[in-house]
Amino acid sequence: GFSSEERQERVLGGIQCVSFPFPSSVRTIAASDIKSTTHRPWIWTEKRAEKRKYLMSFGGSLNGMEDSVILRRFLLSRCEKLGLPKCLSITTEKGFASMEAAFQAKRRSVFCLEPPGYGMERKSIMDSLSLGCIPVIFVTPKVWSYFWSSIWSPRMKKDMAILIDGRKLLDGKVDLFETLAGISPQRVRKMQEAISQNFHMLHYSNIDFPGDGMERALHILKRVAMRRVPHTCRDYINDTSGTTSS
């Protein structure tokens, strides 16, 4: 079993966790450059679905926790056996390709395989979402429920990612290709649209983008602070919170 995952379940289950996504390495265009509300700022929106010629891709090192290394090696082997266009791998036994190669793979893939590394969460998940690639997460539903739960709602998770139990995959109870190839084009398109509509709420924009992950995170942190500090300190928080409103 995934002992590392079970440890994290116990840790997360025993604390009041406020969890936020990692910053993505992908940047957005300026909000002022958006021509309409239907045109989102993500780079990948300009790439039509037919240009995503790979069903899935895998990129990342083979390092991590013991259980993660086993799963990563399994995914690398499976991806290489499937070959193109079913699976594009930019990882080899010698190491991981460049960041730009990883981004190109994500732009050209429908699904991006996101196994755990040294932790259950990965920055690469945010990079995949930024580039319109549907992330495939390999954790138990319980651990998945903790992922960035302060800012990523259960409905958003359902519409913006695929969950596969890594233990069942290694045990042969789940087939990677059959699972992903069996997802209908209609559902894929629905998930891509959900990412396009909602991803800004997870992304820490480096330009002025209302409602982005930074703004939401500040609102959430303020609410948490207001619950935990003495009542006499709350006026001070309100007075010094800048643009953050209750």
Side-chain angles (χ1 to χ4, degrees):
F2 272 69
S3 58
S4 302
E5 197 169 81
E6 292 163 358
R7 285 196 300 271
Q8 184 148 339
E9 283 185 9
R10 290 197 295 271
V11 170
L12 293 175
I15 61 176
Q16 292 183 348
C17 185
V18 179
S19 175
F20 298 109
F22 291 104
S24 172
S25 296
V26 180
R27 297 293 176 257
T28 62
I29 65 173
S32 59
D33 291 339
I34 303 175
K35 304 303 182 183
S36 71
T37 56
T38 58
H39 180 76
R40 297 292 164 173
W42 324 122
I43 296 172
W44 64 270
T45 54
E46 299 175 2
K47 308 292 183 180
R48 297 302 179 185
E50 60 267 18
K51 293 188 178 181
R52 292 185 180 270
K53 57 183 179 180
Y54 306 117
L55 176 66
M56 68 185 98
S57 63
F58 173 55
S61 73
L62 297 178
N63 302 322
M65 300 176 292
E66 181 179 355
D67 302 324
S68 302
V69 171
I70 294 172
L71 179 57
R72 284 175 174 238
R73 289 187 175 276
F74 175 88
L75 292 175
L76 173 61
S77 174
R78 185 73 176 115
C79 190
E80 290 178 339
K81 288 180 180 179
L82 286 171
L84 300 177
K86 295 177 181 178
C87 190
L88 169 65
S89 174
I90 58 172
T91 297
T92 68
E93 288 289 342
K94 296 181 179 180
F96 170 61
S98 68
M99 185 70 73
E100 181 57 33
F103 288 171
Q104 290 294 339
K106 292 177 186 297
R107 288 189 184 103
R108 297 170 181 170
S109 305
V110 177
F111 300 101
C112 287
L113 308 181
E114 303 291 354
Y118 286 106
M120 296 300 163
E121 304 173 4
R122 298 186 68 199
K123 181 187 77 68
S124 179
I125 296 173
M126 302 307 295
D127 293 335
S128 294
L129 289 168
S130 299
L131 297 168
C133 189
I134 302 169
V136 182
I137 317 294
F138 300 90
V139 296
T140 63
K142 189 171 184 179
V143 168
W144 178 229
S145 69
Y146 294 119
F147 267 44
W148 311 322
S149 56
S150 303
I151 200 169
W152 200 1
S153 69
R155 176 66 179 271
M156 289 170 66
K157 287 182 179 181
K158 180 181 178 181
D159 291 341
M160 296 168 63
I162 296 294
L163 185 65
I164 295 178
D165 191 319
R167 290 174 291 193
K168 292 182 179 180
L169 185 67
L170 291 174
D171 291 341
K173 297 178 181 179
V174 175
D175 183 84
L176 181 64
F177 174 73
E178 289 182 359
T179 298
L180 298 181
I183 298 175
S184 69
Q186 292 78 13
R187 186 185 177 196
V188 167
R189 186 57 190 163
K190 180 180 178 181
M191 296 183 77
Q192 290 173 335
E193 290 175 351
I195 293 173
S196 178
Q197 294 290 326
N198 299 307
F199 177 69
H200 67 281
M201 292 188 283
L202 305 175
H203 191 279
Y204 308 119
S205 179
N206 62 335
I207 47 88
D208 180 18
F209 194 89
D212 71 344
M214 181 62 71
E215 182 175 296
R216 285 166 58 82
L218 291 174
H219 278 288
I220 291 167
L221 288 174
K222 179 184 175 182
R223 288 202 300 268
V224 172
M226 293 292 284
R227 289 199 301 267
R228 296 183 180 181
V229 301
H231 182 77
T232 54
C233 297
R234 294 182 182 179
D235 288 340
Y236 175 78
I237 293 176
N238 281 325
D239 290 341
T240 59
S241 60
T243 58
T244 302
S245 59
S246 58

